[in-house]
Amino acid sequence: MAETIETYSDRLMGFTLPGRNARGRVVRLEGVLEQVLSAHDYPPPIMHMLGEALVLGALMGGLLKGEHAQMTMQAQTTGGIVSLLVCDYRAGAVRGYCDFDGERLARLGANPSLAALFGEGYLAITFETEGNQRYQGIVPLEGDSLAEACEVYFSQSEQIPTLIRVASRAGAKGRAAAGLLVQHLPDGEEGRERLHVRMDHPDWEHVAVMAGSISHDELLDAGLSLEAITWRLFHEEDEVRVQTGTDLSRGCRCSAEHYATIIARFPPEEQAAMRNQDGIVVVDCAFCSKLFELAV
Ligand SMILES: [Zn+2]
């Protein structure tokens, strides 16, 4: 792999446009995406969707401050081909997995729509802040993409005008996914008390047009730094403040202790049924597929 790819991918960067009361995040995943996907044997449409979900997780999780703050995104359906899609973000670490009906998926062809995959589904987005504050919003999985559902989350649950663009590719150059998020915060970062979301503020309209001009190729171009992307979009602004980027990693927090605690909650006869011939309970982590052999 060329060195430029390692330099500019698997990073998340924040920026603000003080003159417009706007902030943004930009992210590109490459090696980390391959790492997450390598733990699973997913067909292309699922890999594509999980890539987008991980990008969204990083974009939204990257809005939080602190080592212990976490963002979890969970898409769930009843009777959909995809029954569950989970990803989370904490301090630069991303992870995710997907449960789906492989046979029904195979009948859909190469590029199934969001509606075909999820049927009647919803998306739950949960933020847990450094100070253990937790807030969650649930939106229906409508529209064309997970990104669109996340935009709806911000406008409905947080009253924050938000534009999100996600791009992904698979091919000779490898798999990559990238995204851009911009938001308008006219009342400041802590202004959570707004009653109505105002999408037609002139500053926001301008920022949304500029941000919306980003192309998929630009987002995915590993030779283009995240700083360069931001500069391309907003160089006409009076001021663009770019934050120090965060290196991203595939992070899983599974542990034998965690699974032992869960198993201990089951009644003794159910625990007995879980044990194999050697008296061991074998559990595999849904996120990273790591196997744990527990003598519980
Ligand atoms: Zn794990």
Side-chain angles (χ1 to χ4, degrees), residues 64-66 68-71 126-135 192:
L64 294 166
K65 296 179 185 81
H68 302 286
Q70 179 170 322
M71 198 286 321
T126 310
F127 288 97
E128 286 158 85
T129 68
E130 187 82 343
N132 269 335
Q133 254 193 323
R134 187 185 150 99
Y135 46 106
R192 289 207 162 280

Side-chain angles (χ1 to χ4, degrees), residues 71-270:
M71 198 286 321
T72 307
M73 191 171 97
Q74 184 164 324
Q76 211 161 337
T77 65
T78 41
I81 288 173
V82 173
S83 51
L84 183 66
L85 169 72
V86 186
C87 71
D88 66 27
Y89 174 96
R90 189 203 278 186
V94 296
R95 60 177 188 168
Y97 73 94
C98 186
D99 286 337
F100 58 98
D101 183 332
E103 281 180 24
R104 283 172 65 199
L105 179 69
R107 280 184 246 130
L108 282 183
N111 290 304
S113 68
L114 195 72
L117 289 172
F118 284 95
E120 296 256 310
Y122 65 85
L123 184 71
I125 293 172
T126 310
F127 288 97
E128 286 158 85
T129 68
E130 187 82 343
N132 269 335
Q133 254 193 323
R134 187 185 150 99
Y135 46 106
Q136 185 184 60
I138 295 173
V139 291
L141 265 175
E142 295 166 350
D144 291 333
S145 64
L146 289 173
E148 228 175 274
C150 292
E151 288 177 345
V152 171
Y153 162 79
F154 281 110
S155 65
Q156 285 185 2
S157 296
E158 299 207 28
Q159 281 76 49
I160 299 176
T162 302
L163 177 139
I164 302 176
R165 290 288 180 272
V166 176
S168 73
R169 87 151 186 253
K173 282 197 266 175
R175 196 168 280 278
L180 169 76
L181 171 151
V182 287
Q183 300 190 311
H184 192 220
L185 298 164
D187 303 328
E189 295 265 336
E190 311 305 328
R192 289 207 162 280
E193 305 303 319
R194 282 170 299 245
L195 293 174
H196 301 288
V197 55
R198 189 180 166 194
M199 306 298 279
D200 63 349
H201 192 290
D203 280 339
W204 171 242
E205 285 183 336
H206 183 80
V207 169
V209 167
M210 294 294 118
S213 72
I214 188 84
S215 73
H216 281 203
D217 287 344
E218 285 173 305
L219 279 173
L220 292 168
D221 182 355
L224 199 58
S225 69
L226 305 183
E227 289 83 354
I229 286 178
T230 309
W231 183 246
R232 264 191 201 187
L233 294 173
F234 302 113
H235 64 272
E236 286 176 3
E237 295 300 313
D238 294 337
E239 192 184 358
V240 182
R241 280 188 210 156
V242 166
Q243 296 159 6
T244 315
T246 303
D247 287 327
L248 299 176
S249 61
R250 192 279 299 267
C252 203
R253 296 181 290 281
C254 57
S255 68
E257 292 73 29
H258 170 70
Y259 289 111
T261 312
I262 293 175
I263 291 165
R265 290 185 203 137
F266 284 89
E269 61 274 18
E270 286 187 38

Side-chain angles (χ1 to χ4, degrees), residues 38-41 250 252 254 283-292:
S38 69
H40 307 277
D41 185 18
R250 192 279 299 267
C252 203
C254 57
V283 189
D284 67 320
C285 173
F287 284 101
C288 69
S289 299
K290 189 172 165 186
L291 282 178
F292 293 91

